[in-house]
Amino acid sequence: MKRCTLLLIFLLFAAPSYGVSLSELQKSAIANRHIIAQYQAGLDKSRSDVTMARSHFLPSVDISYTINRLDDDNLFEEEENGVSYGAVTWNLFSGFYDYYNIRSARLLERAQFHRLQGIKQDVQLNVALRYLDIFKLQSQREVAQESQATLQKLFEDSRNRYDVGLVEKNELLRFKVDLDNATITVKKVEAEFAKGVQRLAFETEQHIAPADLEFTEFAQLPLLDEPEEYQRMMLANRSEIKTLDETNKAVGLQIKAARASYGPRLDVTGSYRRYENNYFPDDNTYDEELRGTAMLSLNLFDGFAKQAGISKAKSEKRNVAAQLGELQRGLETELSNLFLDYGVSLDTVAVSRTNILQAEENLRITRLKYQEGLEQESDLLDAISNLSLVKYIHVAARMEVFANYFRIIRSVEQF
């Protein structure tokens, strides 16, 4: 039994631990972020508005019981009496006002649904950018640590050479200054890395262990289709466009509903009334009445409220239509600019790769010449600094490619 227990414990600790991918982080953010709950509550509210609009197509049922106290009996009422009342009222026609209202409410519900989808896309984009930022800082930390290690080795070599009198003290101090600066740079990048992890934890509403992050998504540069295809997808899929489109249709129906309020209204009512000769019902003395009523009504004047309602709805429709046109133009321009940035960043990555090879070769040659006394320590430090610089540029260019890629994916809502 003890052997089995030990074997089980060993297997549990030996089991591979799987890292966290970008898609898993995005799912966590969708499940946990309060802003998602906020927009979900807005969608639930719009669904309640649909239910309220539909309620006008159903009958209304009312019951009541009234007790009366008179100073004395009279010909029609006892001193103490009560009245039981029940009625069913149903609106049969209201000039299609309710019909247009319910259609408008359904469109506004769909608009709220698209708003929720749009905020989900925004949350996923923010998670992707935070995730990318951590990978960028991790890459920058590796570059900084590599530069620090190189300077540390050169400083130690110079100190050994200084001890035997091969170099001057000022040369040793130059290496020490650059080494101290490299150490500070490493600490700064490590601090930014820790802050990046906290920002990602905020976006996902969960604890993030840096060691669990896979970063497999950044193994290869992403490739995109032609910009025209993405522009077509954006205009077809973008939640903001769908939201304004549904809102525009809803406002159009509200105009029709406002006009319908000029029409007549037909209500029918079936009621039951029972008169008691005391406060509480009994079976001895009472009178009862069953009544059916049909009422056709038409409002002739309401202080111009209906006219103002129509004008307000028309103004809102023009406002929404203008917003929709402005939004489409803005999104098309933004997508076009993203593709320009994406192309430039790809070119920068290609150039920086070549620059790294050249800088590495330059450092190798400069180091050999320095050891032979053909180069000064400033030349060697410049070569080290130049290599770090081109590596930083390469990291930044790669990250810019992925950042533009994520923003383009968000533009067409493909997260």
Side-chain angles (χ1 to χ4, degrees), residues 33-134:
R33 284 295 300 276
H34 294 294
I35 192 171
I36 300 296
Q38 173 186 337
Y39 278 79
Q40 182 63 53
L43 177 59
D44 295 339
K45 178 183 176 182
S46 64
R47 288 171 177 166
S48 299
D49 291 338
V50 174
T51 302
M52 292 173 62
R54 292 178 60 186
S55 67
H56 296 288
F57 286 92
L58 300 175
S60 173
V61 181
D62 300 277
I63 60 173
S64 66
Y65 187 76
T66 306
I67 58 174
N68 300 296
R69 169 74 180 186
L70 307 179
D71 58 351
D72 199 0
D73 294 343
N74 59 42
L75 184 62
F76 302 102
E77 290 184 84
E78 298 290 335
E79 179 182 356
E80 297 178 352
N81 66 82
V83 181
S84 303
Y85 178 77
V88 178
T89 304
W90 200 351
N91 171 251
L92 298 182
F93 181 74
S94 60
F96 298 107
Y97 176 83
D98 295 330
Y99 171 73
Y100 290 126
N101 264 347
I102 191 172
R103 287 183 59 189
S104 175
R106 285 171 176 167
L107 289 171
L108 291 176
E109 178 192 2
R110 288 166 59 182
Q112 191 63 40
F113 171 78
H114 293 310
R115 287 192 184 96
L116 176 60
Q117 299 308 307
I119 201 64
K120 286 182 178 180
Q121 290 288 317
D122 288 336
V123 167
Q124 292 180 91
L125 173 62
N126 290 338
V127 171
L129 293 177
R130 295 301 187 192
Y131 183 70
L132 175 64
D133 189 51
I134 293 177

Side-chain angles (χ1 to χ4, degrees), residues 102-249:
I102 191 172
R103 287 183 59 189
S104 175
R106 285 171 176 167
L107 289 171
L108 291 176
E109 178 192 2
R110 288 166 59 182
Q112 191 63 40
F113 171 78
H114 293 310
R115 287 192 184 96
L116 176 60
Q117 299 308 307
I119 201 64
K120 286 182 178 180
Q121 290 288 317
D122 288 336
V123 167
Q124 292 180 91
L125 173 62
N126 290 338
V127 171
L129 293 177
R130 295 301 187 192
Y131 183 70
L132 175 64
D133 189 51
I134 293 177
F135 180 65
K136 174 184 177 180
L137 291 168
Q138 177 178 282
S139 302
Q140 289 179 341
R141 183 177 61 181
E142 292 172 357
V143 174
Q145 289 173 343
E146 181 181 340
S147 177
Q148 181 193 33
T150 301
L151 289 169
Q152 180 69 39
K153 186 176 183 302
L154 288 174
F155 172 71
E156 293 174 355
D157 292 342
S158 296
R159 186 167 56 186
N160 293 332
R161 298 176 70 182
Y162 170 75
D163 292 339
V164 297
L166 296 178
V167 297
E168 299 292 334
K169 187 174 182 179
N170 64 335
E171 185 175 345
L172 177 64
L173 292 177
R174 288 177 183 174
F175 283 113
K176 184 64 170 62
V177 169
D178 277 34
L179 175 60
D180 290 342
N181 289 335
T183 302
I184 293 174
T185 301
V186 170
K187 291 181 178 180
K188 286 182 178 179
V189 175
E190 287 177 344
E192 290 298 324
F193 180 83
K195 290 192 288 185
V197 172
Q198 292 182 9
R199 294 187 189 102
L200 181 60
F202 169 80
E203 293 292 343
T204 59
E205 290 284 346
Q206 70 174 41
H207 174 72
I208 301 295
D212 294 337
L213 300 177
E214 293 181 343
F215 298 125
T216 55
E217 297 85 357
F218 307 127
Q220 295 181 347
L221 293 177
L223 298 178
L224 297 172
D225 295 329
E226 293 299 320
E228 293 76 14
E229 176 63 20
Y230 285 91
Q231 188 175 82
R232 183 194 63 79
M233 293 171 60
M234 181 189 68
L235 295 177
N237 300 335
R238 190 72 183 231
S239 295
E240 292 90 334
I241 294 177
K242 290 182 178 180
T243 297
L244 287 179
D245 186 53
E246 300 290 0
T247 304
N248 189 41
K249 294 177 182 177

Side-chain angles (χ1 to χ4, degrees), residues 285-408:
T285 55
Y286 66 89
D287 293 320
E288 60 182 0
E289 173 190 88
L290 287 173
R291 177 175 297 187
T293 304
M295 183 175 68
L296 181 66
S297 60
L298 179 63
N299 174 257
L300 298 180
F301 182 71
D302 63 350
F304 303 108
K306 295 186 180 67
Q307 182 179 351
I310 294 175
S311 298
K312 178 182 177 181
K314 287 181 176 179
S315 298
E316 181 63 20
K317 185 173 177 62
R318 291 195 302 271
N319 178 32
V320 174
Q323 289 183 47
L324 182 58
E326 191 72 14
L327 175 65
Q328 289 178 339
R329 289 189 58 195
L331 291 176
E332 289 173 354
T333 303
E334 180 184 356
L335 183 61
S336 177
N337 290 338
L338 284 174
F339 268 97
L340 291 175
D341 293 338
Y342 172 77
V344 171
S345 56
L346 279 178
D347 294 338
T348 306
V349 169
V351 172
S352 62
R353 283 174 180 164
T354 304
N355 290 343
I356 289 175
L357 296 177
Q358 294 173 347
E360 288 175 341
E361 180 64 14
N362 178 59
L363 176 59
R364 187 187 68 83
I365 296 173
T366 304
R367 180 179 293 176
L368 291 175
K369 289 185 176 181
Y370 174 76
Q371 292 171 353
E372 296 294 331
L374 302 177
E375 294 281 5
Q376 297 180 354
E377 73 280 355
S378 59
D379 298 321
L380 182 57
L381 291 174
D382 288 342
I384 296 172
S385 176
N386 184 56
L387 177 59
S388 297
L389 177 61
V390 295
K391 285 185 176 180
Y392 277 121
I393 292 175
H394 179 69
V395 169
R398 278 181 56 85
M399 299 308 104
E400 191 65 21
V401 170
F402 282 100
N404 289 318
Y405 170 76
F406 287 142
R407 292 188 177 99
I408 290 172

